[in-house]
Amino acid sequence: PLLSVIMIPVSILTGFLGSGKTTLVNHILTANHGKKIAVIENEFGEIGVDDGLVIESKEEIVEMNNGCICCTVRGDLIRIMHKLLQREDKFDGILIETTGLADPAPVAQTFFMDDTIKRQASLDAI
């Protein structure tokens, strides 16, 4: 029989500045939903995840402060995704928050171009 592979769902959260992306991320990190969610947050001149939440949250926060996730960070995104997918304690999902400046299309393409990511993660929503 074929072994079933469990794909980790990945959602890309995008929107204009002030649209509530960070508020939603903060809610996901503090809500009692019973899910283990990794958050990849791109910090680019916006108010980020409250530092107090990082200490109190069981989720892993990966903050990238080096520019727009859709262009300069793609290599970092692949590296970070590989790191998350290699963990023994798997996540129920991964959320990537882009800045209000980012075009989500190149981020989404990452999930079709990298073989390791393609095998272990599925793009759930944008």
Side-chain angles (χ1 to χ4, degrees), residues 1-2 17 86 93 101 109 126:
L2 294 175
L17 293 169
Q86 290 172 356
L101 306 172
Q109 289 173 352
I126 299 176

Side-chain angles (χ1 to χ4, degrees), residues 46-99:
E46 290 188 66
I47 297 171
V49 169
D50 183 354
D51 289 338
L53 295 180
V54 177
I55 295 168
E56 297 177 54
S57 175
K58 292 182 181 177
E59 283 90 7
E60 179 171 332
I61 306 289
V62 181
E63 290 189 298
M64 299 184 294
N65 291 309
N66 59 345
C68 177
I69 194 171
C70 68
C71 47
T72 61
V73 192
R74 178 180 268 168
D76 283 345
L77 178 60
I78 291 171
R79 181 184 50 76
I80 289 167
M81 284 295 300
H82 283 197
K83 182 179 171 186
L84 292 174
L85 293 171
Q86 290 172 356
R87 289 175 56 110
E88 287 190 28
D89 54 333
K90 298 296 182 190
F91 292 98
D92 296 308
I94 298 172
L95 178 66
I96 301 171
E97 179 190 3
T98 66
T99 69

Side-chain angles (χ1 to χ4, degrees), residues 3-51:
L3 295 175
S4 64
V5 176
I6 297 173
M7 304 281 280
I8 298 174
V10 179
S11 298
I12 299 172
L13 179 61
T14 188
F16 293 105
L17 293 169
S19 63
K21 298 180 302 295
T22 300
T23 301
L24 178 59
V25 169
N26 284 330
H27 174 75
I28 289 169
L29 292 173
T30 57
N32 188 13
H33 47 66
K35 302 283 185 184
K36 187 172 183 182
I37 300 177
V39 176
I40 300 173
E41 182 183 45
N42 184 39
E43 290 283 311
F44 190 71
E46 290 188 66
I47 297 171
V49 169
D50 183 354
D51 289 338

